[in-house]
Amino acid sequence: MSDKPLNEIVNVESVSILMRLLRDFGRNTLPLLGRKVPFIQKQFVAATIVSFREINNQDFQVIVEPRNQVERLLARKDTDINMYENYSLYFNRIAVLLNLQEPNMHGEARLLDPMGNIKNDMGLISSEEYHYTNDIKFLERMKYQFYQSCGRNTEYIICVFSHHVPCTLKTHQCARLINEFSKRTNEFLIVSYEDVFYDTDEDVALNILSHYSRIFCLYPVYFCPPKKSDKNIETYLLPWDEEEEPVCRRISRRVMRAVSNKRFRTEKKKRKSFCRFSKFMDSNVCEEI
């Protein structure tokens, strides 16, 4: 792989689409988690592992079946969720994690440092806490599934979407932890977020995340642009229920339908405006006569 920074290797538009889909997937699982935990919070971490080819080709099949599973579970409205484990949901190559209360761990640490080795070396937890920090090894599971799908020699990227930007809180320092993880393992990471916790310094967090070339921090504006310029993200999705139809044909159809509807509405509005203007002019002419 080239020595270029990660943001120069991957297609930024494709990354934006993937992170938007990952964010939406995480949001959609929150009602399921709400059936299993005594409280629900906005903060979640949704993570997946993809290849460079999958990102640059906008091949997001990795999200299709998990999304279908979530929709089926939401429709059933029961609490028998076999992919739930300890404040988390796990789907093949995707994990959605809530913050743990005991021991106190944020989602980023649960994913990248489940044994507490990095936090211990950073001096963020005591030796006593270190011995009791032993969470599920989500990343190992995802890597195994990735190798099953893409082959052991395929290079991968760990994609992490956190509702809040990885924190700078004194006892967690998730931004520093991500940076340290990438340096130790030489792993590629893409990180994104949509909000900032009131006690986190966003500028400091972004500076830490942008400091290492193997980490690409995608700012929210890339996948949540202002409403006036917002693209219809659905045109990029793979089919959830129409898998037999080629993607390119379906995308073209959706785009043409959207354009046609817009033209129709515009022409209709023009005709109404012209009629109102004509009536107004006619009435004024009559009055003058």
Side-chain angles (χ1 to χ4, degrees):
M1 184 57 64
S2 169
D3 291 331
K4 292 181 179 179
L6 181 57
N7 63 317
E8 295 181 14
I9 300 172
V10 294
N11 182 294
V12 177
E13 182 182 359
S14 300
V15 170
S16 304
I17 296 166
L18 175 59
M19 298 310 281
R20 170 76 175 266
L21 295 175
L22 197 57
R23 180 200 68 171
D24 292 347
F25 181 81
R27 282 180 176 177
N28 292 340
T29 62
L30 292 181
L32 294 179
L33 285 162
R35 299 175 187 178
K36 305 294 288 186
V37 301
F39 65 93
I40 199 64
Q41 52 187 318
K42 288 184 178 180
Q43 172 57 14
F44 68 89
V45 167
T48 187
I49 292 181
V50 296
S51 66
F52 283 86
R53 181 197 61 78
E54 285 175 313
I55 284 188
N56 289 329
N57 291 346
Q58 296 183 12
D59 177 4
F60 304 131
Q61 185 70 31
V62 64
I63 298 182
V64 174
E65 181 51 33
R67 171 171 163 163
N68 289 341
Q69 280 184 273
V70 169
E71 289 179 350
R72 288 193 293 267
L73 288 167
L74 288 171
R76 284 214 310 260
K77 297 182 180 179
D78 59 38
T79 57
D80 182 21
I81 306 172
N82 59 14
M83 63 280 298
Y84 172 81
E85 288 183 87
N86 196 23
Y87 290 77
S88 71
L89 292 172
Y90 177 75
F91 308 80
N92 198 341
R93 267 198 273 165
I94 299 181
V96 180
L97 316 173
L98 298 181
N99 293 346
L100 267 186
Q101 305 304 303
E102 294 292 339
N104 192 356
M105 294 175 68
H106 284 183
E108 293 90 337
R110 298 188 67 190
L111 177 72
L112 305 176
D113 188 31
M115 304 297 291
N117 298 305
I118 298 176
K119 288 186 75 173
N120 182 58
D121 292 344
M122 290 168 63
L124 298 178
I125 54 177
S126 65
S127 56
E128 184 178 335
E129 289 176 301
Y130 173 69
H131 290 301
Y132 287 99
T133 302
N134 187 5
D135 200 13
I136 302 162
K137 297 180 175 67
F138 299 100
L139 201 54
E140 287 188 10
R141 291 182 179 182
M142 287 193 285
K143 286 180 182 179
Y144 174 79
Q145 294 294 341
F146 174 83
Y147 289 139
Q148 292 290 105
S149 301
C150 303
R152 187 158 287 276
N153 295 323
T154 306
E155 277 199 290
Y156 59 80
I157 308 174
I158 302 167
C159 301
V160 180
F161 180 89
S162 176
H163 172 71
H164 289 131
V165 64
C167 75
T168 58
L169 302 181
K170 188 176 180 180
T171 55
H172 294 281
Q173 299 191 35
C174 293
R176 271 187 62 202
L177 185 143
I178 291 172
N179 186 273
E180 186 64 27
F181 169 86
S182 188
K183 286 180 179 177
R184 290 188 180 200
T185 61
N186 217 29
E187 304 268 30
F188 290 105
L189 282 101
I190 296 173
V191 180
S192 195
Y193 67 99
E194 63 179 328
D195 205 350
V196 182
F197 187 63
Y198 73 92
D199 232 4
T200 285
D201 189 321
E202 184 179 18
D203 292 336
V204 171
L206 295 178
N207 184 55
I208 293 170
L209 293 169
S210 304
H211 195 64
Y212 188 49
S213 63
R214 286 183 171 250
I215 300 175
F216 175 21
C217 185
L218 186 78
Y219 301 153
V221 69
Y222 282 97
F223 61 89
C224 273
K227 291 294 182 183
K228 289 183 180 179
S229 61
D230 195 10
K231 291 182 178 180
N232 180 8
I233 196 71
E234 290 296 327
T235 60
Y236 295 104
L237 291 177
L238 285 176
W240 308 123
D241 301 312
E242 307 169 282
E243 293 187 2
E244 74 283 359
E245 185 180 359
V247 177
C248 57
R249 187 185 307 164
R250 191 168 46 264
I251 290 174
S252 299
R253 192 184 68 239
R254 289 175 182 174
V255 171
M256 291 307 297
R257 187 190 303 144
V259 171
S260 300
N261 289 341
K262 186 175 180 181
R263 284 176 180 167
F264 173 76
R265 288 194 299 269
T266 304
E267 290 301 320
K268 191 175 180 181
K269 189 181 292 184
K270 283 181 180 177
R271 286 197 298 272
K272 283 185 177 180
S273 299
F274 177 75
C275 290
R276 283 197 294 268
F277 178 73
S278 298
K279 289 178 181 178
F280 172 76
M281 291 300 294
D282 290 343
S283 63
N284 282 351
V285 168
C286 292
E287 288 175 5
E288 288 179 4
I289 293 173

